[in-house]
Amino acid sequence: MRERSGTPNFREVGRERNYGRQFESTSCSLETLRGSSALYSAGTMLKGMTRLISRAHKLDRGRFLHTGTQTPQTIAAHLDNPAPVESPRAISRTSESDPAKHGEQQEGQHYNIPHQDLKTVFPHGLPPRFVMQVKTFNEACLMVRKPALELLHYLKNTNFAHPAVRYILYGEKGTGKTLSLCHVVHFCAKQDWLILHVPDAHRWVKNCRDLLQSTYNKQRLDQPLEASTWLKNFRTSNERFLSQIKVQEKYVWNKRESTEKGSPLGDVVEQGITRVRNATDAVGIVLKELRRQSSCGIFHLLVAVDGVNALWGRTTLKREDKSPIAPEELAFIYNLRKMVKNDWNGGAIVLTLSQTGSLFKPRTAYMPQELLGEEGFNALDPFIPILVSNYNPKEFQSCIQYYLENNWLQHEKAHTEGGMKELLFLSNANPGQLERLCAYL
Amino acid sequence: MAAPSVKAVRGWSGLALGVRGVVLRLPGLTQVRWSRYGPEFQDPQTDKEYYRKPTAQLTEEEKYERELRKTRFIKAAPATKTSSVFEDPVVSKFTNMMMKGGNKVLARHLMTQTLETVKRKQFEKYHAASAKEQATIERNPYTIFHQALKNCEPVIGLVSILKSGRFYQVPVPLADRRRRFLAMKWMITECREKKHRRMLMPEKLSHELLQAFHNQGPVVKRKRDMHKMAEANRALAHYRWW
């Protein structure tokens, strides 16, 4: 239940340091992109991780409320230096619903995503528990946090002439990597980028019912159901681009159907949705065309993949003769790997590592090296790592305030100081654990 | 469980304090549920507020009680009893009754999921209702749980009494703990047996709890049937001798 806290063991610290060193050697080539800010922030984040865990336990008894209203006893003591008393609402919510305007001021505050945006931008991207929360509260509020703000800063300063930069969000289980990714996707959608969002790459390497032999390449395998659902969601989120982008090659589906050169990309997507057999090939074509045309400047491309460690892990899928299937034998994974390479320009690649859906990886693994393995790490190197950690005290307060405003914490003891201290202790300020705890209180 | 512990105690003759040796035995009756602690052992006090009260605020009785506790033996607190502010003995008992094969993790998970489901259903109703109705909708899953079980408690029960070769169902007043037990037992049995094969326990249990909260549903019906039977067998009441 409780997240494992405490000082990181030497193995982890050693890997962190090695990782920092490796990153230093590649930073000179990326110097032009963003200066040394990323290296500095990577370094501080690696150090900050150990500090954040101990900070949560240094809270003073009388001053549990970090930035909010002071208790009557302490107000008398602080009459000499009056601190500005902010209302609780000021901590937990902000009225700025455009991610482009989010900055240091909105850190720790929740911003509202309008329902219209939810339908178009996130037909499939949000984690299932968050979807339940949206349904219960009738509103989608996302917390603005440091890792997302950092990513937004980098994306605002992308140089589209340079090859696409890869950003990897990594962190322990339940710290908010997927929701940070969703924040970034919302920003890019608002900035009119083309969003290529793979919500959970693990869903493609396990529990697939039908696997067909690919028509394009006999060695590879197709996944018709997953591909067709993905194409439907892709179409919902990128309607306006599908008529603008034209295909640059002729594609023959079978004896009777083919897509001519110069026809809009929407045709390929329609073909994939209606003819489920060719759905995976349609996805491959979409990825190829987008990669080719992203440098032309008509659109900016954002490739957002959640759980990218699935692309280089193992699968639990088997052929009819019970022999295991490697990920590269799946056509979708093969094409997605090409997409995640940084040989194209005109956009950015934001990735998330996830142990939650991963196969054959221990629960405590969260570092890029552990989850990606040798092959994956070498394929993704060089990338910018962004650590997503547990809530700091201000964010924790903000989250609790948000739940209190929505009357989510119904237990009478949850409103008391003792109750909040216990919530902090039980969840260790881990966002995922806190959400699960508050769900039944 | 009792037999090995008896053997162990015999070996510790020096530590045979407060452990029950020979208990009063009635012919034909064996004690099934009994504790190895003697009567002088006191229950553990896990309430933090009890210890935080400053000495000046204690009454004479409380001071005496504190002094007494210093001299008495205290039973070991079970692993499930915590000093958490969110602890609820009724919820713990219900979880224990739902548990099968010692799988407390699963039972607790089901319980928390049930409370969450109840909360979400009530929130949905709240958002769909008008302003006037919103005041009447209860959203606290714990109040709903407690009220539902209270509504399921029978007031009077039936006991099989053997008289002149026949068993008669005799109406009998029930102790508080028996009533609470019956309410929980009926609720759990109902949810386990009368549900669709693919329906999950939290879903079914939350549905039954909400129905019992409004005094409807099969568990409250069973309580009312019990009352009716007791009423019908009113004449046999004098078969009871206690």
Side-chain angles (χ1 to χ4, degrees), chain B residues 9-32:
Chain B
V9 160
R10 275 195 200 131
W12 304 343
S13 52
L15 278 167
L17 309 154
V19 175
R20 287 208 194 127
V22 180
V23 184
L24 173 70
R25 278 176 204 195
L26 293 168
L29 280 180
T30 28
Q31 216 166 358
V32 183

Side-chain angles (χ1 to χ4, degrees), chain B residues 15-21 35-41 73:
Chain B
L15 278 167
L17 309 154
V19 175
R20 287 208 194 127
S35 136
R36 295 293 290 166
Y37 288 116
E40 64 275 12
F41 273 77
F73 293 113

Side-chain angles (χ1 to χ4, degrees), chain A residues 93 110-113 130 133-134 139-143 179 402:
Chain A
R93 276 195 212 249
H110 293 84
Y111 82 98
N112 191 18
I113 304 178
F130 188 72
Q133 189 183 296
V134 167
E139 61 172 5
C141 281
L142 220 51
M143 197 195 274
L179 281 179
Y402 175 66

Side-chain angles (χ1 to χ4, degrees), chain A residues 129 136 408 422 438 440-441, chain B residues 84-85 116 119-120 142:
Chain A
R129 280 202 79 91
T136 309
W408 188 230
E422 196 165 317
C438 295
Y440 62 83
L441 280 177
Chain B
S84 159
V85 292
E116 192 188 326
K119 209 187 200 184
R120 282 191 203 269
Y142 292 89

